[in-house]
Amino acid sequence: MNKQDFINSINDIRKNFESEISSIVSYDDLKQLKSKYIGRSSALNNLLCQIKYLPIDVRAECGSIANTCKHEIESKIKVLYDELCYKTDNLIDPTANPHKLPVGHQHFTTRAIDEITEIFERIGFYRVRYPEVEWDWFAFESLNMPKDHPARDEWETFFIDNIEVNEKYGRRILTPHTSSGQVREMLRVKPPIRMINISKCYRRQIDVSHTPMFHQFEGLVIDKGVNISHLKGVLDYFVTNFFGNNRKARIRPYHFRFTEPSFEVDVSCGICLGEGCKLCKNGWLEIGGAGMVHPVVLQFGNIDPNEYSGFAFGFGIERNYMMKSGISVDDIRLIYQNDIRFLTQF
Ligand code: FA5
């Protein structure tokens, strides 16, 4: 090969490259073109290897011509590469999510609260929420449990030590039940009252059916002429709407200081439908307490018991949700262990 043949070959490479690069539209094709024209076994590389066989006086000039051609090819490939990048970036849909993020959902308890709220709102109850850090007076004294009354022990209360004792309201506590909202609501609005108070409650208890923090929902209805049949009607309504049409409510005599008469409320077992089985023993499961509001409590709420009467009920949110058909949770503590494997099941 002489100098002219060498230069002709370089010119052919340049010409062919120019014509091929003008039709490239994808990365893959560009990659192949790069390898064809400046790769190890490219014609240009082959020519560069031939330089040593040229006459010595033309080697430097031919080397320089070949390197110029190589740099031209490299820079044209780079320009096209950038152009293709720009085009591809502009094809990206920024609203599309290539990495699917895990989708969360509401917590077991939030679902139960929403469902219960909706059931009561359908029959004219309105939702309220009263303090979790409460005065002794609202949680006990205004509910007909004077200081040192032994009934207070049943609520296994958490007391807050470093807040001053109030002359009228006594000590601060973590409310052990939503009944502390009863007199608060009576003092806030005049009858008729149809509140559903849902909030956190606290008791010094922990085992398969108790957690130190749990939720209750408290119904309070006060109006003229309210009697036990209204209470039973609302309980029946709740039980069929929450547990299903095949479930029934039952009230049994009980004792609470703030209701007279008082009842414990049961729902017929979802497994045996009231026949009696391993889970329920006698066909019924307890769901909470209820009763007609005690006249003393009405008076604490500035309501005349000769003019008005009312009923109240207080149930545990978690325990009730656990008793729904299809929710088989046999340990209430699981709800607050924050184990995602447990929570994603609901
Ligand atoms: C009361 O708290 C009364 N205030 C209910 C009431 C309201 C009676 C209005 C009359 C009129 P009791 O202590 O039984 O009652 O609690 C009611 C429900 O709260 C229980 O049936 C249970 O479902 C739930 N509960 C009580 N303690 C816990 C706890 N530590 N963990 C989870 N749920 C609880």
Side-chain angles (χ1 to χ4, degrees):
M1 177 181 283
N2 61 31
K3 178 182 166 189
Q4 199 49 53
D5 292 340
F6 188 89
I7 293 174
N8 290 345
S9 301
I10 294 285
N11 286 341
D12 287 347
I13 290 171
R14 191 181 272 119
K15 216 164 77 201
N16 293 340
F17 173 76
E18 292 292 344
S19 114
E20 282 191 45
I21 198 170
S22 62
S23 58
I24 297 287
V25 289
S26 76
Y27 284 131
D28 284 349
D29 292 348
L30 186 62
K31 231 164 100 185
Q32 273 181 24
L33 188 82
K34 185 178 176 188
S35 145
K36 179 173 174 185
Y37 283 92
I38 48 176
R40 267 172 147 238
S41 40
S42 62
L44 185 59
N45 206 39
N46 201 28
L47 276 177
L48 282 164
C49 297
Q50 300 291 319
I51 288 178
K52 57 180 181 265
Y53 302 115
L54 289 172
I56 192 152
D57 56 325
V58 298
R59 282 185 201 164
E61 189 189 353
C62 288
S64 158
I65 292 169
N67 276 325
T68 305
C69 176
K70 189 176 177 189
H71 292 145
E72 275 172 26
I73 291 175
E74 274 172 350
S75 86
K76 286 188 177 165
I77 287 174
K78 170 84 176 65
V79 169
L80 184 59
Y81 176 84
D82 289 347
E83 261 176 43
L84 289 175
C85 278
Y86 177 79
K87 276 193 199 146
T88 313
D89 283 352
N90 282 290
L91 286 175
I92 289 172
D93 174 0
T95 61
N97 181 4
H99 312 290
K100 278 210 163 173
L101 296 172
V103 179
H105 66 74
Q106 288 180 320
H107 188 269
F108 181 96
T109 309
T110 312
R111 288 211 165 169
I113 290 175
D114 285 355
E115 198 175 320
I116 291 164
T117 307
E118 201 258 322
I119 288 174
F120 283 104
E121 281 178 351
R122 284 211 298 268
I123 53 166
F125 281 74
Y126 53 87
R127 179 162 174 203
V128 296
R129 193 169 171 182
Y130 280 118
E132 290 166 31
V133 180
E134 183 54 286
W135 295 108
D136 176 297
W137 193 82
F138 285 106
F140 294 119
E141 220 148 316
S142 70
L143 295 175
N144 199 25
M145 285 182 266
K147 281 188 190 63
D148 304 322
H149 194 282
R152 290 178 173 220
D153 294 347
E154 290 161 28
W155 273 266
E156 302 198 38
T157 311
F158 288 105
F159 288 88
I160 297 177
D161 283 338
N162 59 355
I163 297 183
E164 257 177 63
V165 176
N166 180 285
E167 216 176 294
K168 174 169 179 192
Y169 295 119
R171 296 175 74 180
R172 284 280 203 175
I173 57 169
L174 295 182
T175 197
H177 56 173
T178 43
S179 298
S180 51
Q182 287 191 16
V183 171
R184 279 190 176 274
E185 184 64 7
M186 294 179 209
L187 296 176
R188 188 182 75 87
V189 291
K190 291 198 175 344
I193 290 174
R194 277 187 189 168
M195 82 158 194
I196 192 86
N197 174 25
I198 305 185
S199 50
K200 290 192 175 73
C201 303
Y202 302 84
R203 294 186 194 179
R204 293 152 59 99
Q205 302 168 330
I206 185 154
D207 58 39
V208 284
S209 54
H210 296 87
T211 42
M213 185 286 297
F214 60 101
H215 295 73
Q216 281 187 345
F217 60 105
E218 179 103 2
L220 176 70
V221 171
I222 298 175
D223 207 342
K224 290 181 176 159
V226 173
N227 60 47
I228 295 178
S229 60
H230 296 123
L231 167 62
K232 185 63 175 34
V234 168
L235 296 175
D236 286 341
Y237 164 81
F238 169 70
V239 162
T240 49
N241 279 273
F242 186 71
F243 293 104
N245 280 332
N246 57 349
R247 311 283 289 273
K248 288 193 179 67
R250 171 178 91 167
I251 52 176
R252 279 181 289 115
Y254 194 67
H255 175 75
F256 290 107
R257 291 278 302 179
F258 39 96
T259 45
E260 181 57 39
S262 301
F263 309 101
E264 277 205 316
V265 184
D266 299 329
V267 59
S268 54
C269 172
I271 309 274
C272 64
L273 299 177
E275 295 293 310
C277 69
K278 227 164 53 183
L279 171 77
C280 64
K281 313 275 188 292
N282 58 5
W284 298 88
L285 300 160
E286 185 205 312
I287 54 174
M292 299 307 293
V293 181
H294 198 291
V296 167
V297 177
L298 289 175
Q299 276 165 342
F300 274 121
N302 289 340
I303 292 175
D304 182 355
N306 296 314
E307 203 182 339
Y308 289 98
S309 56
F311 64 78
F313 54 88
F315 299 172
I317 295 264
E318 294 85 347
R319 285 238 212 124
N320 272 267
Y321 208 58
M322 283 163 69
M323 285 181 210
K324 254 172 109 83
S325 310
I327 308 257
S328 51
V329 176
D330 57 5
D331 186 336
I332 195 171
R333 293 168 296 191
L334 288 168
I335 299 170
Y336 295 111
Q337 276 168 3
N338 286 337
D339 186 332
I340 208 83
R341 292 167 303 176
F342 170 80
L343 293 173
T344 48
Q345 295 174 76
F346 306 97

